Amino acid sequence: MRMTRIVGAATAALLCGAVAGGLHGCATSPSDAETAARAATALKASFNARGQAGLDRLDQDETQKVCSEYANRPLPASVAEKIQQVNLATIRYPADGTLVGDWKNGEKIAQSGQGFQFSDDPKVLAGANCYACHQLTPQELSFGTIGPSLYRFGKVRGFTDETRKYAWGKVYNADAFAACSNMPRFGHSRILTEQQIRDVVALLVDPASPVNQ
Amino acid sequence: MADPMKIRANVVGDSTEVKVLMNHEMETGQRKDAQGKTIPAWFIQNVKVTHNEKVVLNAQWGPAVAKNPFLSFKFKGGAKGDKVKITWTDNRNDTRTDEATIA
Amino acid sequence: MDTTRRHALKTGGGVTLLTLLAAAGWLKPGEAAAEDWNKAAFETKSMDETMKALGGGAPATSADIIFFSTPDIAENGAVVPIGITSKIANTQSIAILVEKNPNMLAAVFDIPAGTDTSLSTRIKMGQTSNVYALVKADGKYHVASKEIKVTLGGCGG
Amino acid sequence: MIARLRIAAAIALGVTAVAIGGAFAQSSTVDEIAKYREALQDGNPAELWEARGEEMWTTPRGPKRVSFATCDLGLGPGVVKGAYAALPRYFADAKSVMDLETRLVWCMVNQQGISEGDATKIKFGDGSARRSDLEALAAYVTSQSRGVEMKVPVNEPHVRDMYRLGEQMFFYRGGTHDFSCATCHGEDGKRIRLQDLPNLTKTEGAQKAYTTWPAYRVSQGELRTFQWRLNDCFRQQRFPDLVFGSEASIALTTYLAGRANGAPYNGPAIKR
């Protein structure tokens, strides 16, 4: 754990150094960096482990750390590129090459917000809660707008290998395509299983899916 | 004992408008607790509203009335200073009566 | 009338609207006793059965029963505001029924002379359903309905 | 060729119709939800909590049989009117910045002789028989600031320090899902499902959101305080359990309350 943290910090410094070129990394001023450090310490002292949510949830990886630092100001292109590179490298495609599963199951996963909360049963498979942020099928009126509408995702992009591969990668690790995306890294962070990702990809790219009607 | 209701009674034109909020679980009897045991139904069955001893509304409720029930209606007459009395009785035979002065 | 009754008996299980009305004291002359709570009426389960049973005694669909402050979509089924006004002369009672609730009768309000035939309250709805406002006036029954959609709000988790 | 074009045109028309239909359905959904919320405003069960809290405020409590008449919420002992609109603030007697709930606990412990464990035993009601005194007290106290302009003393050094800490925490990404407060509350005009998300980084958004807590939560049949609001946001962020009255809870409350300065306080409200 300790090792990871040191590596994380080093990478963060590297990512920031690419822009600022100085020792202070990403922070606009030393006092900001100091406040950020104090905030991180205070946060860790302000939570109790509960259910499946341990205190390690507050430990940031390099992507989380850098994205937090830039959350309130523009993300420089070079930092964004670096984050995308780091995250692109994490994407694993299924060994058997099957990217598309069952859209009906994908719809269930898209509807479910269960999983990883301290109040959730860890034995139940997590959902992706896609509808919290995206419009998908026209039948579901209760959808969020934090992310773009995905209605006709496959139809618009074409039912090609390229579309399927992009959908897989985006669900697996959204930061590979848009640095500091608001979207969870469902594959990289082990939120969804490989089969669940196939099913969600099917919801997006299967010509028979209601998303593409 | 059950907590008091919150009653508002105001003269509006030639009528009195009554708005009441009641403290009650209105448990449906359909829900299960964490152990999977059915939570028994517990709800207000009868509501009676009187003005100067005259009944102005009489209701029968099932468990589908929302928790912490709200009811609003008007009756003709009623003067400032008059009392409006509301009584509810639930399926456990618990009952509560509160009174409000018409404003 | 007879046919309807027999049909209702044959199908069994469901309680017909007529039984409901009888149980609620609406078919009897005079006011129901104040502390009465009509168990049978509140245990009706199937709107289909009640509708089949309407026959000659069916409530007439009425444009004089109006829903007010009643949204088409409820953000949460636990609390659904319902306002009903009856413009039918000599309205004696207003009842609220929810087709798809486990028990469809939600509330009955007996309205004495001198009280406005308009009221609002809040009910629970398990799912999207038709909601019926059933009015008794001069001993006859009238009905209006409205579909209310129940959505899933918030993070859903 | 002509036939093909016709088919294409027909498809195009069909698509347009679907698109218009979808847009119409959506805007009417939003309108209807607005109507739903409006219909709830008339008759807020929060009043039942306010009444219970008022009763508790004036009743002698704890081993010392002391009421809240001696409890100073910042405007003097027992003064409730307008007190919430100027919280959190620095309390010299406690040597710390406190929000309403931590101050209530402080008064219970230091003036009424109630143990901290007992005072915070039921922080949040469970929607049933387990009811929280703190929620009722908070309902009463906040109701006494209705219409009062928010004036959190953000220039006081201790408060300013907390505010800046809270601001950093607001943008802190973590957990399995990479969520921070800003993920949902950092942009204008966003929704989660059908729920509008206030942009808390903007003055108007923070004002609208902060001044409507505590609120009666229809979905839970409970009155919820700002401590609860933060705890439940973090639960959904997949963070662990935010400790009641912890430094992070005070810092974030200070940041958001401070951002709401200038707007009239408008709670307790009623929400989904």
Side-chain angles (χ1 to χ4, degrees):
Chain A
M1 200 63 214
R2 191 137 191 208
M3 281 296 276
T4 336
R5 295 274 293 284
I6 291 164
V7 172
T11 322
L14 183 75
L15 290 174
C16 299
V19 192
L23 288 170
H24 294 314
C26 304
T28 47
S29 74
S31 86
D32 266 16
E34 196 187 297
T35 315
R38 277 184 52 219
T41 310
L43 265 174
K44 284 173 192 174
S46 294
F47 285 84
N48 282 333
R50 180 165 167 188
Q52 59 180 300
L55 292 175
D56 59 341
R57 296 265 176 104
L58 294 158
D59 296 330
Q60 293 176 313
D61 74 359
E62 67 271 26
T63 299
Q64 290 173 331
K65 190 163 192 291
V66 176
C67 290
S68 300
E69 284 167 7
Y70 280 102
N72 204 12
R73 55 213 173 91
L75 183 67
S78 54
V79 178
E81 200 182 312
K82 198 87 190 175
I83 290 170
Q84 287 174 200
Q85 274 175 20
V86 167
N87 282 284
L88 192 61
T90 71
I91 298 177
R92 300 280 171 273
Y93 293 89
D96 67 357
T98 312
L99 298 179
V100 181
D102 175 3
W103 68 260
K104 289 193 184 95
N105 199 39
E107 167 71 10
K108 284 182 200 144
I109 296 165
Q111 289 280 5
S112 166
Q114 127 84 30
F116 294 92
Q117 296 169 125
F118 61 63
S119 51
D120 289 329
D121 179 352
K123 291 192 286 282
V124 179
L125 273 187
N129 214 9
C130 310
Y131 283 104
C133 299
H134 298 282
Q135 180 180 32
L136 288 130
T137 70
Q139 286 79 18
E140 180 53 87
L141 296 179
S142 181
F143 60 82
T145 59
I146 296 171
S149 171
L150 303 176
Y151 177 46
R152 304 178 77 235
F153 182 94
K155 200 164 185 168
V156 165
R157 287 166 182 79
F159 301 110
T160 62
D161 279 344
E162 201 185 336
T163 302
R164 289 187 276 273
K165 209 177 163 213
Y166 169 68
W168 178 279
K170 187 82 183 179
V171 173
Y172 197 98
N173 190 337
D175 280 333
F177 306 91
C180 303
S181 165
N182 283 328
M183 182 165 151
R185 294 170 286 178
F186 290 102
H188 173 65
S189 302
R190 305 281 181 272
I191 298 166
L192 298 180
T193 65
E194 195 173 76
Q195 186 53 45
Q196 282 182 302
I197 299 176
R198 278 191 190 100
D199 294 341
V200 172
V201 167
L203 182 67
L204 295 171
V205 306
D206 189 326
S209 161
V211 164
N212 294 313
Q213 304 313 307
Chain B
M1 199 184 74
D3 279 335
M5 293 172 232
K6 189 95 190 172
I7 307 169
R8 284 211 176 90
N10 291 297
V11 172
V12 180
D14 61 350
S15 298
T16 298
E17 183 179 53
V18 180
K19 288 182 183 182
V20 56
L21 282 161
M22 304 173 193
N23 252 303
H24 208 285
E25 288 301 316
M26 300 302 287
E27 190 61 59
T28 58
Q30 311 275 342
R31 298 197 309 150
K32 289 189 165 56
D33 65 13
Q35 283 75 47
K37 267 176 51 188
T38 300
I39 305 169
W42 179 29
F43 58 96
I44 293 174
Q45 292 185 320
N46 290 91
V47 180
K48 188 165 83 178
V49 187
T50 55
H51 165 241
N52 292 343
E53 305 305 311
K54 179 187 180 288
V55 176
V56 290
L57 193 73
N58 212 333
Q60 295 178 51
W61 286 355
V65 169
K67 178 175 176 172
N68 296 318
F70 171 73
L71 172 63
S72 167
F73 73 101
K74 278 188 221 170
F75 63 87
K76 291 268 181 301
K80 285 186 185 175
D82 284 4
K83 301 277 188 210
V84 168
K85 198 166 83 175
I86 304 181
T87 301
W88 59 248
T89 309
D90 70 18
N91 66 326
R92 293 182 186 172
N93 254 327
D94 194 3
T95 184
R96 165 115 211 159
T97 299
D98 288 283
E99 213 173 48
T101 307
I102 300 175
Chain C
M1 194 69 188
D2 266 329
T3 346
T4 320
R5 239 185 227 168
R6 217 172 296 135
H7 181 77
L9 281 172
K10 243 190 281 173
T11 39
V15 182
T16 68
L17 184 57
L18 287 177
T19 350
L20 188 162
L21 296 171
W26 290 6
L27 295 182
K28 287 180 275 176
E31 301 271 271
E35 297 307 313
D36 272 358
W37 188 76
N38 297 284
K39 196 167 182 283
F42 282 100
E43 285 178 354
T44 4
K45 286 195 188 302
S46 151
M47 194 64 190
D48 283 355
E49 288 302 321
T50 55
M51 282 315 185
K52 273 180 203 158
L54 294 182
T61 302
S62 171
D64 290 324
I65 304 170
I66 295 141
F67 286 95
F68 68 93
S69 299
T70 307
D72 293 352
I73 300 176
E75 199 173 11
N76 199 291
V79 177
V80 183
I82 305 282
I84 298 167
T85 297
S86 167
K87 290 183 175 172
I88 303 167
N90 303 320
T91 292
Q92 296 158 277
S93 287
I94 297 177
I96 304 169
L97 294 86
V98 183
E99 184 174 6
K100 289 188 181 161
N101 270 4
N103 300 113
M104 66 180 196
L105 182 61
V108 186
F109 298 88
D110 288 332
I111 301 173
T115 295
D116 277 14
T117 54
S118 175
L119 50 87
S120 64
T121 187
R122 293 169 186 168
I123 60 163
K124 300 185 193 105
M125 290 178 65
Q127 57 182 304
T128 297
S129 168
N130 280 321
V131 174
Y132 296 87
L134 202 55
V135 167
K136 176 193 174 189
D138 266 342
K140 293 196 179 68
Y141 310 97
H142 309 264
V143 70
S145 74
K146 176 183 172 75
E147 189 192 47
I148 300 179
K149 289 195 175 74
V150 175
T151 64
L152 179 67
C155 304
Chain D
M1 192 62 192
I2 291 166
R4 246 193 223 166
L5 274 174
R6 271 201 197 132
I7 291 164
I11 290 169
L13 276 171
V15 167
T16 319
V18 167
I20 290 166
F24 175 74
Q26 198 48 37
S27 79
S28 74
T29 301
V30 171
D31 289 351
E32 282 302 319
I33 294 284
K35 265 169 68 182
Y36 170 83
R37 289 176 191 158
E38 200 187 310
L40 287 184
Q41 298 308 315
D42 188 21
N44 181 351
E47 289 183 31
L48 300 169
W49 273 255
E50 293 168 24
R52 192 157 65 89
E54 183 173 11
E55 170 98 30
M56 284 188 325
W57 185 265
T58 50
T59 308
R61 313 169 83 243
K64 295 187 185 164
R65 308 308 300 158
V66 168
S67 78
F68 283 95
T70 54
C71 182
D72 186 353
L73 298 175
L75 304 181
V79 179
V80 185
K81 188 84 198 153
Y84 186 67
L87 285 171
R89 69 192 304 144
Y90 179 73
F91 289 92
D93 54 11
K95 293 190 181 59
S96 56
V97 176
M98 292 173 150
D99 67 348
L100 172 61
E101 287 117 295
T102 44
R103 187 61 183 174
L104 289 170
V105 170
W106 189 90
C107 288
M108 288 185 203
V109 171
N110 291 280
Q111 297 176 340
Q112 301 175 344
I114 298 169
S115 76
E116 183 152 351
D118 282 349
T120 59
K121 200 169 172 182
I122 305 180
K123 299 166 189 88
F124 314 126
D126 68 352
S128 179
R130 237 176 103 86
R131 301 194 303 179
S132 165
D133 288 356
L134 284 164
E135 284 173 337
L137 284 162
Y140 167 60
V141 172
T142 55
S143 74
Q144 297 303 302
S145 282
R146 202 171 283 137
V148 177
E149 188 184 313
M150 290 294 303
K151 262 188 191 150
V152 178
V154 284
N155 293 322
E156 193 281 328
H158 298 91
V159 177
R160 191 170 57 225
D161 196 48
M162 269 295 177
Y163 179 99
R164 292 187 55 207
L165 218 49
E167 184 174 28
Q168 290 290 334
M169 290 171 180
F170 186 86
F171 295 105
Y172 190 94
R173 282 188 180 222
T176 50
H177 287 52
D178 302 336
F179 291 152
S180 70
C181 304
T183 306
C184 288
H185 296 291
E187 281 180 81
D188 287 342
K190 299 290 182 188
R191 291 196 329 236
I192 193 155
R193 288 278 184 170
L194 284 176
Q195 194 69 29
D196 294 318
L197 295 165
N199 180 356
L200 301 177
T201 66
K202 292 261 184 76
T203 306
E204 316 82 72
Q207 286 179 333
K208 204 177 161 205
Y210 189 82
T211 59
T212 50
W213 287 96
Y216 179 77
R217 225 31 213 275
V218 159
S219 48
Q220 300 169 6
E222 283 282 4
L223 181 121
R224 295 309 193 188
T225 62
F226 207 71
Q227 280 281 338
W228 177 87
R229 176 60 285 174
L230 290 174
N231 182 285
D232 207 54
C233 271
F234 278 120
R235 178 182 67 85
Q236 292 171 92
Q237 269 174 250
R238 274 72 181 173
F239 278 43
D241 191 10
L242 179 68
V243 176
F244 187 87
S246 60
E247 193 176 5
S249 77
I250 305 294
L252 280 160
T253 303
T254 306
Y255 172 60
L256 296 165
R259 293 199 62 72
N261 271 352
Y265 176 69
N266 195 28
I270 182 164
K271 292 170 191 268
R272 171 190 69 82

